[in-house]
Amino acid sequence: MGKHLEVTIDKDSGFCFGVVYAIDMAEEILEDEGYLYCLGDIVHNDEEVARLKAKGLRIINHDVLPTLQNEKVLIRAHGEAPETYRIALENNITLIDASCPVVLKLQNRIKTSFDDQEKILIFGKHGHAEVIGLQGQTNNEALVFQDITELDHVDLPASFTLYSQTTKSVDKFYAIKNELISRGYTVKANDTICRQVSNRYEDLGDFAKQYDKIVFVSGKKSSNGKVLYDVCKAANPNSYFISETQELEGLTFLAGERIGICGATSTPMWLMKEVKAALEQL
């Protein structure tokens, strides 16, 4: 007799539209041409990257770009710095630009601020693909910080414009803005956080509370995954983070338990379905 777990996948989990758009674009070209270069991991999920590599996707890093000539290269949803476009132009590389529109809008705003000679602070993860693209709009002069404590011993200008990586928490962004204002700075804040992502932060807690246990499926590299997992864990202490089906083996499930499955904006639905099938086999 199996344990007959009752397993439900969160209908709002899975790829955000920016990732869907990038992957659709890649698959279309792979079908036609058999291979395609992609600058950086197309999505922060090893299982999905492996699936696309098997179809001919060739992941390259920025060092390789200048060595290519007359090729097609995909820019993923995270976006790129101006330098990438410049190199492509010089090397007759066709860029397949799948930058997310939310990111592009933010890049434009930052560039306008920079051109207007505003001092710019960006709340975001150091070294994150999107953040590198944003900093590139400011000739790398913008100050990036991922925690407000990093600003404690920094000599900041009296007034500046505050931006945020699109996948950060809205609450945290406004808390940082208010804290900086209370420290006496003049802060012009531009909230360009993606609502598809921030709504997920809110809805996920509600989802997590409805089940005995939560299995959160995400790549280890996904910063959005880390944040969303914390939301689950806060709402339901019996939440487990896994990246692949095999990791279920270390977990204990009891007969008749209700299990909720959810994931990051970079978690493919096929992977969550695989996890569901594996749980139903127990």
Side-chain angles (χ1 to χ4, degrees):
M1 273 295 285
K3 293 180 182 170
H4 293 303
L5 298 173
E6 194 185 312
V7 189
T8 308
I9 296 177
D10 170 26
K11 64 174 185 355
D12 297 320
S13 278
F15 292 154
C16 59
F17 70 87
V19 172
V20 170
Y21 177 64
I23 288 174
D24 282 353
M25 225 177 224
E27 290 196 297
E28 219 165 275
I29 293 170
L30 289 170
E31 207 148 286
D32 285 352
E33 307 192 10
Y35 78 97
L36 172 65
Y37 290 100
C38 176
L39 203 47
D41 281 344
I42 188 164
V43 62
H44 289 146
N45 185 282
D46 293 344
E47 282 65 30
E48 179 65 4
V49 169
R51 184 184 75 82
L52 290 162
K53 273 184 172 171
K55 294 188 168 201
L57 192 71
R58 300 175 184 174
I59 308 275
I60 57 167
N61 61 28
H62 287 80
D63 305 349
V64 176
L65 190 67
T67 68
L68 297 178
Q69 297 276 344
N70 316 317
E71 290 284 3
K72 281 186 183 166
V73 176
L74 181 86
I75 289 179
R76 60 206 170 153
H78 302 104
E80 280 294 325
E83 176 73 352
T84 298
Y85 294 86
R86 194 183 58 70
I87 294 169
L89 206 58
E90 281 173 14
N91 288 18
N92 196 30
I93 292 167
T94 306
L95 290 177
I96 312 294
D97 197 340
S99 300
C100 165
V102 180
V103 175
L104 285 177
K105 183 178 171 188
L106 172 54
Q107 286 187 353
N108 272 325
R109 282 199 180 172
I110 289 182
K111 186 178 184 326
T112 304
S113 280
F114 180 70
D115 291 345
D116 290 344
Q117 278 154 3
E118 293 173 8
K119 296 288 179 216
I120 297 166
L121 264 65
I122 299 171
F123 169 46
K125 183 181 173 187
H126 294 293
H128 187 281
E130 180 192 322
V131 174
I132 291 168
L134 299 177
Q135 242 187 324
Q137 310 302 320
T138 70
N139 203 13
N140 294 330
E141 288 173 29
L143 175 64
V144 173
F145 66 100
Q146 55 193 38
D147 193 279
I148 191 142
T149 54
E150 292 174 39
L151 303 177
D152 289 348
H153 306 291
V154 177
D155 200 8
L156 295 175
S159 67
F160 50 80
T161 306
L162 177 67
Y163 286 99
S164 166
Q165 183 180 342
T166 58
T167 50
K168 286 291 181 196
S169 138
V170 176
D171 292 348
K172 215 164 172 191
F173 177 74
Y174 283 101
I176 286 168
K177 173 198 168 182
N178 294 334
E179 170 61 25
L180 289 168
I181 290 171
S182 77
R183 291 182 187 184
Y185 297 105
T186 304
V187 182
K188 187 166 130 191
N190 264 301
D191 170 3
T192 48
I193 291 167
C194 173
R195 289 306 183 252
Q196 196 184 1
V197 174
S198 66
N199 289 346
R200 240 178 239 191
Y201 293 156
E202 287 158 35
D203 300 344
L204 201 54
D206 298 339
F207 174 81
K209 284 179 191 140
Q210 295 169 33
Y211 299 89
D212 298 315
K213 290 187 176 136
I214 291 292
V215 175
F216 186 86
V217 188
S218 168
K220 306 247 188 310
K221 288 186 228 171
S222 166
S223 39
N224 162 262
K226 288 188 190 73
V227 178
L228 288 174
Y229 173 64
D230 289 343
V231 171
C232 284
K233 193 87 177 153
N236 184 338
N238 298 316
S239 294
Y240 304 101
F241 187 110
I242 68 166
S243 295
E244 51 183 351
T245 315
Q246 288 88 300
E247 291 174 36
L248 287 171
E249 287 165 22
L251 307 177
T252 314
F253 298 98
L254 307 173
E257 277 188 323
R258 298 173 65 246
I259 314 291
I261 296 175
C262 45
T265 49
S266 51
T267 304
M269 186 52 78
W270 64 261
L271 188 55
M272 288 185 280
K273 284 180 175 162
E274 251 180 35
V275 170
K276 180 177 195 274
L279 282 167
E280 287 171 341
Q281 296 292 298
L282 291 177

